[in-house]
Amino acid sequence: MLTLPGWAFLNSYNIIVLALLLYFNEWNRQKTRQILSFRRLLHALLLTMLGDSLSRLPNDLPQFILSAHISNFMVYALDPICYCCIIAYIEACANLERPSFFTRFLWRPLAAVNLLLLLFNVLFHVPLFYYLKGSSYHRGILYTHRAVVMLSLCIAMEGFIFVHRKDFQKSYFLPLALFPLLSLFFGILQVIFLGASFQYMGLTLSCLLLFIYIQNRDINEDYLTGVLNRRGFYSTLDYAIKDRRSRILAVIMLDLDKFKLINDRFGHQAGDQALIDLSLILRACFRRTDTIGRFGGDEFCVLVPLKETTELEAILQRLREGVAQFNEARSRPYLLEISLGAAVYSPARWHDVDSFLGHVDALLYEEKERHHALP
């Protein structure tokens, strides 16, 4: 019977999970800084795990000696680079325009010093990080010191996330805060126990959490406003129509009047802020059971389950009042004006999502035309 050591099971699990995350992440064709930094993190971890696996092959066999030397060097060289990728991803989630002090003066110098010491270890056979004795590798004189520095920087990374907590979307903070904590916990296990890749197991688990709670959500989330994008809203509406369970469903479609004027007069940054302001008004006016989506440009849609069809007019009035209150506050140099189209879904009249949304869009267009006709 074939028996495999414990490290082989752990490494195989980590490699399979990382490869699947990389595969599914490729489905998102957007080229945002956040998505690209997550891909770089997955690539770095996958290469490190492959190197760690090759370095553990039997060194007493001649055909494995060279691969073990190369793989050990690769693991120790890539290790701090993985953490550089982590902090780059965190900075991308915080929308920091430039690399932070943390990156420029801690992680990048650490990676450079680590590489110099590693080259000294290999070229001059000084057992700083590791050395070969018999048929296996052993920890060098600086292994524990290196581990303490890495774990200390994980604590510093947690502090960095806490300091910048207001720069993240609310849904991002918890999974990001867990990242260095898991790395710290499994890193301590790595120092205590020999023969297993606990550290990389922690990093793999952290990446899995990031994919579930941030990356996968971003596939259906509008990057600017945080509401659902067109794809996410369409899927939600399609599912709701197919699974109505006797509920009354209404869709409200709205867009900003004179949005181009805001862009032309105050700049595109003000235009983006106007869209964010409108999304915040929608969040304040609707319930958690309602679904808000940005359908494209300055156009938003809201899916509203109703108990009675008569509720719809009161909901529309509440939305208009929310916009009026925003304008009365005069917190921006511009005013928001909206056009609305709304309808209650009827399976006898519309057989699919496209025909229903087309009808609501036509109602929106009619109101927009009336607004344009006003002096």
Side-chain angles (χ1 to χ4, degrees):
M1 180 181 292
L2 178 64
T3 58
L4 292 174
W7 67 262
F9 286 106
L10 280 179
N11 283 20
S12 298
Y13 163 80
N14 291 334
I15 289 171
I16 290 171
V17 170
L18 290 170
L20 287 174
L21 290 179
L22 190 59
Y23 173 75
F24 288 120
N25 194 62
E26 291 295 330
W27 286 9
N28 194 338
R29 299 184 182 277
Q30 300 179 53
K31 299 291 184 181
T32 65
R33 180 182 165 202
Q34 179 182 321
I35 292 170
L36 293 176
S37 60
F38 187 68
R39 287 177 187 169
R40 284 192 287 268
L41 171 59
L42 293 177
H43 280 123
L45 280 175
L46 196 54
L47 284 174
T48 306
M49 284 307 310
L50 290 171
D52 185 77
S53 300
L54 290 173
S55 70
R56 295 176 184 274
L57 294 175
N59 296 316
D60 52 344
L61 299 178
Q63 61 267 35
F64 291 136
I65 292 177
L66 180 60
S67 67
H69 281 304
I70 295 173
S71 301
N72 261 299
F73 181 87
M74 185 169 71
V75 169
Y76 279 88
L78 286 174
D79 200 22
I81 293 176
C82 289
Y83 284 92
C84 287
C85 292
I86 293 169
I87 193 64
Y89 176 76
I90 293 171
E91 290 172 349
C93 290
N95 289 321
L96 300 183
E97 295 182 0
R98 299 175 57 189
S100 65
F101 175 90
F102 194 67
T103 296
R104 287 179 290 161
F105 298 103
L106 285 178
W107 280 112
R108 286 179 181 174
L110 172 67
V113 171
N114 176 80
L115 183 59
L116 289 175
L117 292 175
L118 184 58
L119 288 171
F120 193 78
N121 188 132
V122 173
L123 296 177
F124 299 99
H125 303 288
V126 180
L128 298 178
F129 295 153
Y130 62 88
Y131 63 95
L132 181 63
K133 183 178 181 180
S135 61
S136 59
Y137 282 93
H138 298 269
R139 294 176 176 181
I141 55 178
L142 292 183
Y143 177 89
T144 303
H145 298 79
R146 180 180 183 273
V148 170
V149 170
M150 299 285 284
L151 295 177
S152 299
L153 287 174
C154 283
I155 298 174
M157 191 188 301
E158 186 68 34
F160 176 83
I161 293 172
F162 182 78
V163 169
H164 289 275
R165 63 191 182 280
K166 293 183 179 179
D167 296 323
F168 303 118
Q169 293 187 32
K170 289 184 178 180
S171 59
Y172 287 8
F173 178 71
L174 183 58
L176 287 174
L178 285 174
F179 205 127
L181 292 179
L182 287 172
S183 300
L184 180 64
F185 174 73
F186 283 95
I188 292 172
L189 291 181
Q190 183 73 48
V191 174
I192 296 174
F193 299 103
L194 298 172
S197 302
F198 288 110
Q199 177 186 0
Y200 302 120
M201 184 177 181
L203 292 174
T204 301
L205 179 60
S206 298
C207 286
L208 185 59
L209 291 175
L210 292 180
F211 180 80
I212 293 172
Y213 290 103
I214 296 181
Q215 295 304 120
N216 192 45
R217 179 179 294 180
D218 280 353
I219 294 175
N220 294 317
E221 189 175 277
D222 178 57
Y223 182 75
L224 178 65
T225 61
V227 300
L228 289 178
N229 57 20
R230 185 187 186 103
R231 171 182 174 177
F233 183 85
Y234 189 97
S235 299
T236 303
L237 177 58
D238 184 54
Y239 178 80
I241 287 175
K242 292 176 180 177
D243 186 41
R244 290 178 62 238
R245 299 180 185 178
S246 301
R247 293 179 301 172
I248 301 172
L249 299 175
V251 166
I252 301 168
M253 191 175 288
L254 64 146
D255 72 0
L256 283 173
D257 295 335
K258 303 175 183 177
F259 179 62
K260 185 177 184 301
L261 185 62
I262 295 176
N263 276 322
D264 293 343
R265 186 173 179 182
F266 302 105
H268 289 284
Q269 188 172 0
D272 287 346
Q273 187 59 54
L275 295 174
I276 295 171
D277 290 335
L278 182 55
S279 71
L280 293 175
I281 293 170
L282 292 174
R283 289 178 190 271
C285 291
F286 289 94
R287 305 159 298 182
R288 289 192 174 186
T289 52
D290 303 327
T291 303
I292 304 169
R294 183 182 173 197
F295 221 56
D298 61 335
E299 193 171 285
F300 289 80
C301 285
V302 186
L303 171 62
V304 186
L306 303 173
K307 293 181 180 179
E308 301 289 340
T309 56
T310 53
E311 294 178 68
L312 183 57
E313 188 55 44
I315 292 172
L316 295 176
Q317 183 59 32
R318 187 168 70 237
L319 176 56
R320 292 189 180 98
E321 290 172 358
V323 174
Q325 289 172 6
F326 172 86
N327 290 333
E328 288 171 4
R330 297 284 180 175
S331 57
R332 305 290 186 203
Y334 49 78
L335 299 178
L336 297 183
E337 299 177 27
I338 61 171
S339 295
L340 296 171
V344 175
Y345 176 75
S346 170
R349 187 173 179 185
W350 300 289
H351 301 291
D352 55 30
V353 174
D354 291 321
S355 59
F356 178 49
L357 287 177
H359 173 72
V360 181
D361 188 51
L363 295 176
L364 168 64
Y365 183 77
E366 288 176 9
E367 178 162 318
K368 202 169 186 68
E369 287 293 301
R370 287 196 295 271
H371 287 177
H372 287 167
L374 293 175

